[in-house]
Amino acid sequence: MAAAGRILLFLLFLHISTAQAASKVPFHGLGVNYGQLGDNLPSPKVSVRLLRSIRATAVKIYDANPAILRALCGSGVVVSVMVPNGLLPSIGTNQSAADDWVATNIVPFYGSIRLRFLLVGNEILSDFASNSSFWPYLVPSMIRLNRSLRLFSLRGIKISTTHAMDVLQTSFPPSSGRFRSNIAASIIRPMLDFLRRTSSFFFVDAYPYFSWSQNPTSISIDYALFQGTSNLYYHDPGSALTYTNLLDQMLDAVAAAIAAEGFREVRIGLSETGWPNAGDLDEIGANVHNAAIYNRNLARRVAEKRGLRTPAMPDAVIPVFVFALYNENLKPGPGIERHWGLLYPNGTAVYEVDLKGRRPASSYPPLPPATNNEPFKGKLWCVLDTSGAVNVTAVAAALSYACGQGNGTCAAIQPGGKCYQPNTVTAHASYAFNSYWQQFRSIGGSCYFNGVAVQSIVDPSYGSCIFPSKEN
């Protein structure tokens, strides 16, 4: 946009009411992440009504979807908007690109929604292979977008970005938390300087579920679910602080890393947390019972303490967003990725939870028992999902992908192979899916294949065609 155009827009929006000061007010209670990776989700208008019905005080969306922003107008819900990762190279090098993005996506809604945070990218510093090309543009993008907010006099909006816990090189004990050496000096310190100068937050996605599920014999599930007794508490020898739950421990490790860089006064925000309500057969502890307990106890803690506070940060209120509003059926990866929702796509509750944290625990109806809190024992296979209509085109594409990976993945279904017959796409798909998964599951390979595969405890082998499997 030319300078004259930016000046014109500046003049057009000088009339915006001082009532925008309301956007400066930190939200209380729990916010919710509203993802859109589903082909069966309610409309934005219905979704906002559902957000209010579950008493969410804030919402975070993963782009600047205008239909969602329009639906949020006048709702009173505090809003956080994310700038997609792919825009960083342009915004980080071009002030006009930053100005244009803000003018198009934020200015039209500024007087009608309570916009609190503009989050630049999602976990940019986590996946080196996918995201490292964006790293040089992250802090420059934050700086340029902040200039854009000032250009249009958009007050009360804080610029930040979100991080996964893997930005830390060490996290235990919490007092020894430190950032990874490959990002600390070049990216984290300039970012923290920006956050301090603008009084913004360092946002982190912290999931006790993952820490517990990877170490279920070392970490008590009760400690992860905010219901540990004193014998489960952890005493940090470095800080002399006592921890009653895993989330506090994780957040204080981030606080220690920030302090170690010399920016102790920068506040922390919790951009994602939660617990999966279901998952694949080998995904321990992913069930409705645990998910309900986690989010109910989190909400109660926030209510009782008038905000989320930790042992190392007792005076700092941490804004919290629970993940997620819906179970999203198009999220790739293992089964848990599609089962974090408070709601099913039809709008009904996966379990009851008061996000204000005021409902007594005794008033909730009984939860189904947690039947998978121990690691799965036995063999598993990955096969074609035939529980519904089979999309042969999608299956053929998945089959082609699986056979193109690994070493000899599909040798047995080649002509003359022991699994060649029956010579059909669907029969070959089950063998290929399983062969791929058995090779790559230990390094993150999933039994998903764009939704056409499923785990099974039934051995699909037949005759001389043996489907490989390993004891869990």
Side-chain angles (χ1 to χ4, degrees):
M1 180 182 293
R6 294 199 298 272
I7 292 171
L8 177 60
L9 274 171
F10 171 74
L11 293 172
L12 285 172
F13 290 96
L14 274 180
H15 73 282
I16 293 175
S17 166
T18 54
Q20 287 303 302
S23 66
K24 295 180 181 179
V25 179
F27 66 87
H28 304 287
L30 297 182
V32 175
N33 286 276
Y34 175 7
Q36 303 160 58
L37 295 179
D39 60 7
N40 55 356
L41 302 182
S43 68
K45 185 176 180 180
V46 172
S47 296
V48 171
R49 187 173 73 242
L50 290 169
L51 274 168
R52 299 181 71 180
S53 74
I54 61 175
R55 307 183 76 188
T57 53
V59 64
K60 177 162 74 72
I61 59 176
Y62 290 85
D63 55 16
N65 185 312
I68 296 177
L69 292 176
R70 281 193 295 270
L72 285 164
C73 288
S75 67
V77 177
V78 173
V79 180
S80 295
V81 170
M82 185 168 282
V83 180
N85 294 4
L87 297 182
L88 269 61
S90 174
I91 291 175
T93 57
N94 188 327
Q95 186 61 47
S96 292
D99 294 344
D100 289 348
W101 192 90
V102 170
T104 301
N105 296 285
I106 302 302
V107 167
F109 300 100
Y110 179 68
S112 304
I113 63 174
R114 297 179 63 195
L115 184 57
R116 174 62 167 150
F117 297 109
L118 183 58
L119 302 172
V120 184
N122 187 34
E123 297 186 351
I124 289 288
L125 300 179
S126 288
D127 189 334
F128 183 86
S130 299
N131 291 333
S132 59
S133 62
F134 298 135
W135 290 7
Y137 307 107
L138 179 54
V139 176
S141 292
M142 296 168 70
I143 293 170
R144 290 186 184 280
L145 286 166
N146 195 56
R147 290 174 183 162
S148 299
L149 294 180
R150 294 202 308 270
L151 172 68
F152 297 114
S153 298
L154 307 183
R155 300 180 179 88
I157 303 172
K158 298 297 183 183
I159 300 282
S160 189
T161 186
T162 66
H163 307 278
M165 285 296 295
D166 64 3
V167 294
L168 298 186
Q169 187 165 292
T170 57
S171 60
F172 185 82
S175 59
S176 71
R178 299 294 185 273
F179 289 110
R180 297 197 324 257
S181 58
N182 66 332
I183 58 174
S186 58
I187 303 174
I188 293 293
R189 287 176 201 163
M191 180 187 299
L192 290 171
D193 179 66
F194 169 82
L195 297 176
R196 179 169 63 184
R197 288 188 290 104
T198 58
S199 299
S200 191
F201 292 74
F202 185 94
F203 275 100
V204 63
D205 300 343
Y207 289 95
Y209 170 76
F210 290 116
S211 296
W212 168 76
S213 64
Q214 292 162 14
N215 303 278
T217 59
S218 302
I219 302 173
S220 165
I221 191 170
D222 288 331
Y223 186 68
L225 293 173
F226 305 102
Q227 54 187 11
T229 51
S230 58
N231 63 305
L232 298 175
Y233 295 171
Y234 174 71
H235 182 78
D236 186 330
S239 64
L241 295 173
T242 297
Y243 290 88
T244 64
N245 66 86
L246 186 53
L247 180 63
D248 284 356
Q249 190 176 312
M250 296 169 73
L251 293 175
D252 277 356
V254 177
I258 292 173
E261 297 298 331
F263 296 89
R264 185 181 300 274
E265 62 273 41
V266 172
R267 296 168 291 175
I268 289 176
L270 184 52
S271 41
E272 289 184 13
T273 193
W275 198 282
N277 58 62
D280 291 331
L281 294 171
D282 59 346
E283 290 180 311
I284 181 174
N287 56 64
V288 167
H289 185 281
N290 293 343
I293 295 298
Y294 181 86
N295 283 324
R296 289 174 185 175
N297 284 342
L298 175 63
R300 179 180 53 80
R301 278 181 64 84
V302 170
E304 289 178 352
K305 294 178 176 290
R306 298 180 61 83
L308 183 62
R309 306 167 192 266
T310 70
M313 299 177 287
D315 299 321
V317 176
I318 300 172
V320 182
F321 293 90
V322 171
F323 191 84
L325 182 58
Y326 298 117
N327 283 348
E328 299 171 57
N329 69 337
L330 296 184
K331 289 196 72 177
I336 57 169
E337 291 297 326
R338 294 172 290 284
H339 293 93
W340 292 89
L342 301 173
L343 304 176
Y344 293 110
N346 65 7
T348 60
V350 177
Y351 49 85
E352 294 184 26
V353 59
D354 171 22
L355 295 182
K356 292 284 190 180
R358 297 169 184 163
R359 182 173 174 179
S362 59
S363 71
Y364 287 110
L367 290 167
T371 59
N372 63 343
N373 282 356
E374 299 293 331
F376 181 85
K377 301 296 183 183
K379 292 185 176 182
L380 288 172
W381 292 266
C382 179
V383 297
L384 178 67
D385 185 359
T386 57
S387 61
V390 175
N391 183 330
V392 176
T393 301
V395 172
L399 169 63
S400 176
Y401 171 81
C403 289
Q405 310 300 312
N407 183 23
T409 303
C410 292
I413 55 175
Q414 300 305 310
K418 292 183 177 180
C419 301
Y420 179 68
Q421 297 292 344
N423 180 21
T424 65
V425 168
T426 54
H428 285 184
S430 280
Y431 183 89
F433 295 166
N434 185 69
S435 180
Y436 167 92
W437 186 58
Q438 300 297 344
Q439 286 187 64
F440 295 106
R441 61 183 294 199
S442 63
I443 56 172
S446 66
C447 178
Y448 178 61
F449 295 96
N450 289 329
V452 299
V454 65
Q455 288 183 7
S456 174
I457 59 173
V458 178
D459 186 351
S461 302
Y462 57 94
S464 61
C465 176
I466 305 301
F467 281 55
S469 183
K470 298 175 183 177
E471 198 78 26
N472 284 279

